[in-house]
Amino acid sequence: MSELDEEVLVAQSQEGDLQAFNTIVQRYERQVYNLALRMLGDQALAEDATQDAFISAFNHIKGFRGGSLKAWLLKTVANRCRDLLRSAYRRHNISLEGLTLNAEPSFPSREESPEEYTMRRELGQEIQRGLDTLPADQRLALVLVDIQGLSYEEAAESAGASLGTIKSRLSRGRAHLRDYLRTHGELLPEQFRRRV
Amino acid sequence: MRVVEVFWRLWKRGHQRYQESLSDYMDGRLDARDQGRLEEHFSRCEECVRDLESLRATVQLLQRVPLVDTPRSFQLQEMPVLRPARPLFLRAMQVSTAVAGVLLAVLLVGDLLGSFGDGAMPPEDRAQVAQEEGQLEALAATTPPTMVPAPSMAAEAGEAATPSPEGADPEAAREPTTAETDLSAEEEMPQPFQIEEGDGWGLINTFQVVVGALAGVLLAATAYLTYRRLRSAT
């Protein structure tokens, strides 16, 4: 989808065109869902957060004033995740540390052997355990920049924070995760054990 | 020994700053001057070099974390219904809490500054009190102290303490003396300070109670709404 196409789709969505908005959903749902999954660490909660985020995005798309649509959508889902984490913490109904990521990664590609696929899956699970130990703001910065590959500027926009804040959260988050992986390195797939 | 300790602390502080900039260095986000300083530090500090390598490995691991496929499509099947209730509820809570806070602040500041005391009395009332005070002082000045018995003593003094001389007109004897007249006048006169002050405090206390009660009601309403909200969320 080119930038021009995206602008047209946004304009049509702002007029209430559901089909145009669904094209946008189709384009970004994977990234939005993955952010929710990494933030919440639970598939069912991530599904709810993603769906709520797209509903909210449709309702508020008239307020979108240009810029990165991806960052705007990620900001919407990040806010929803923050709400869920806050209410979960408040009610103590969900022990976030106890949650395990039971989602399957992408199916193996033609170049990837089943062993590599399994290793990648195990790595994802162990990294998720490490991410769960981080404060939500640091986790969000890490997921946006290091996992989703956003630039610092896009990540700042998605997190609703300044560039300096994102840099600081990223620095502390990376250091915390490194310390976690150092102490839990034996849980990593063998291929990755000695790297950290 | 002390010099070594100070030097060690300074070095540690500098080292800590370099540690914090490793992430920015790795992403090429340091300016040329800071980058040069950090690279110079690397030549003296093996720990920072090791930490940079492990940080780089951590980021590489993160970059290898696979994106998960969505379990279903999140496309919207029908026009979603707006949910305006929540912002309205939140706004109502914010307003009521703010009003309650202002009322409590007014109450507290007023109490601390003492403006709920005499200062709250209207100027005309204050002038009246001052006038009555002046009259009383003038009265007290014209009356010899011995001729102003205490009100309780005045009744007993009538017959027992000062018997009337024989042959004197009993009616005249019953005539109240100037002092007694003044005394009775004083007795009849309401005690201006206490009563006026009491009245003032009464009014002010009523004001304070009303403001406090209003703030309390608002806070209670906020607490109740929050409780309802939490209950409905579970």
Side-chain angles (χ1 to χ4, degrees):
Chain A
M1 192 191 300
S2 74
E3 231 171 78
L4 189 65
D5 289 341
E6 197 167 280
E7 276 177 26
V8 172
L9 286 171
V10 168
Q12 287 172 342
S13 301
Q14 286 174 331
E15 296 296 316
D17 186 340
L18 194 61
Q19 204 178 346
F21 183 76
N22 276 336
T23 312
I24 295 173
V25 173
Q26 206 176 359
R27 167 82 173 81
Y28 290 112
E29 63 185 356
R30 195 162 180 235
Q31 278 173 297
V32 170
Y33 172 71
N34 269 270
L35 175 59
L37 190 62
R38 294 294 165 199
M39 284 298 290
L40 300 169
D42 179 81
Q43 190 175 339
L45 282 176
E47 276 185 52
D48 288 348
T50 307
Q51 193 66 78
D52 286 354
F54 279 124
I55 290 171
S56 173
F58 184 75
N59 285 334
H60 296 98
I61 199 160
K62 281 187 180 170
F64 177 67
R65 300 267 173 267
S68 168
L69 180 64
K70 182 170 75 173
W72 185 72
L73 289 171
L74 291 175
K75 184 180 183 176
T76 309
V77 76
N79 286 339
R80 183 70 191 125
C81 289
R82 273 200 207 103
D83 287 346
L84 285 171
L85 287 170
R86 222 173 280 145
S87 63
Y89 177 76
R90 199 170 47 215
R91 283 183 273 142
H92 299 284
N93 281 350
I94 301 168
S95 168
L96 290 168
E97 286 184 14
L99 292 174
T100 50
L101 189 62
N102 50 6
E104 294 290 320
S106 309
F107 291 110
S109 61
R110 281 180 191 171
E111 298 83 33
E112 193 176 39
S113 67
E115 290 78 21
E116 282 172 336
Y117 168 75
T118 308
M119 235 180 310
R120 208 156 57 93
R121 185 167 165 251
E122 284 172 10
L123 173 70
Q125 286 176 342
E126 195 46 42
I127 292 280
Q128 183 63 44
R129 286 192 197 96
L131 286 174
D132 288 343
T133 64
L134 300 180
D137 286 337
Q138 291 177 19
R139 195 185 321 159
L140 179 62
L142 251 68
V143 174
L144 288 171
V145 175
D146 290 336
I147 297 181
Q148 301 247 0
L150 266 66
S151 68
Y152 276 36
E153 287 75 14
E154 278 182 316
E157 202 180 329
S158 301
S162 69
L163 204 59
T165 306
I166 280 293
K167 281 161 88 172
S168 158
R169 286 177 186 167
L170 202 57
S171 171
R172 277 180 283 152
R174 282 169 173 174
H176 283 158
L177 188 66
R178 177 195 59 201
D179 294 343
Y180 173 86
L181 293 175
R182 271 178 179 168
T183 50
H184 297 82
E186 74 281 1
L187 299 172
L188 285 171
E190 198 177 345
Q191 187 186 341
F192 306 107
R193 267 179 216 168
R194 286 180 190 168
R195 299 185 63 176
V196 181
Chain B
M1 187 67 185
R2 199 174 167 79
V3 174
V4 173
E5 197 178 312
V6 169
F7 180 76
W8 170 251
R9 275 187 194 167
L10 283 172
W11 184 85
K12 199 76 184 162
R13 204 177 296 165
H15 175 75
Q16 185 64 35
R17 265 208 308 273
Y18 287 125
Q19 286 266 320
E20 284 164 8
S21 61
L22 289 178
S23 174
D24 287 349
Y25 175 79
M26 204 168 56
D27 290 343
R29 288 272 170 176
L30 283 184
D31 59 41
R33 199 181 66 166
D34 289 341
Q35 189 175 330
R37 280 182 183 169
L38 185 58
E39 281 167 356
E40 193 190 325
H41 177 74
F42 285 151
S43 63
R44 299 191 307 268
C45 180
E46 278 182 28
E47 190 185 341
C48 276
V49 175
R50 272 201 311 273
D51 282 348
L52 177 68
E53 286 311 311
S54 62
L55 211 57
R56 197 168 272 153
T58 303
V59 172
Q60 282 169 358
L61 282 181
L62 278 169
Q63 287 166 348
R64 292 196 61 158
V65 169
L67 278 186
V68 173
D69 284 335
T70 55
R72 63 181 174 88
S73 166
F74 292 102
Q75 293 187 17
L76 308 184
Q77 301 305 315
E78 56 189 29
M79 289 291 225
V81 181
L82 286 169
R83 289 178 293 179
R86 196 176 172 213
L88 196 69
F89 162 81
L90 284 175
R91 216 172 299 146
M93 265 182 56
Q94 282 170 343
V95 169
S96 63
T97 311
V99 171
V102 168
L103 287 174
L104 285 173
V106 166
L107 208 60
L108 184 69
V109 170
D111 211 24
L112 286 174
L113 295 177
S115 61
F116 292 139
D118 291 338
M121 200 180 286
E124 55 270 22
D125 288 359
R126 225 179 290 168
Q128 193 185 344
V129 169
Q131 193 184 352
E132 286 167 354
E133 189 181 354
Q135 283 173 357
L136 266 178
E137 279 174 1
L139 197 63
T142 53
T143 309
T146 51
M147 295 179 76
V148 188
S152 57
M153 288 170 67
E156 296 166 14
E159 290 172 18
T162 54
S164 60
E166 280 184 25
D169 186 7
E171 288 297 320
R174 279 193 204 106
E175 283 269 325
T177 61
T178 315
E180 281 171 348
T181 310
D182 292 340
L183 186 64
S184 63
E186 194 180 354
E187 277 176 342
E188 283 170 13
M189 186 183 292
Q191 293 181 355
F193 294 122
Q194 290 174 7
I195 291 171
E196 288 296 325
E197 206 171 341
D199 278 350
W201 275 104
L203 280 172
I204 294 315
N205 284 341
T206 308
F207 175 71
Q208 280 179 302
V209 166
V210 168
V211 172
L214 198 57
V217 166
L218 284 168
L219 285 175
T222 306
Y224 175 70
L225 288 172
T226 310
Y227 170 74
R228 285 272 307 265
R229 174 77 191 158
L230 290 176
R231 281 287 301 270
S232 67
T234 51

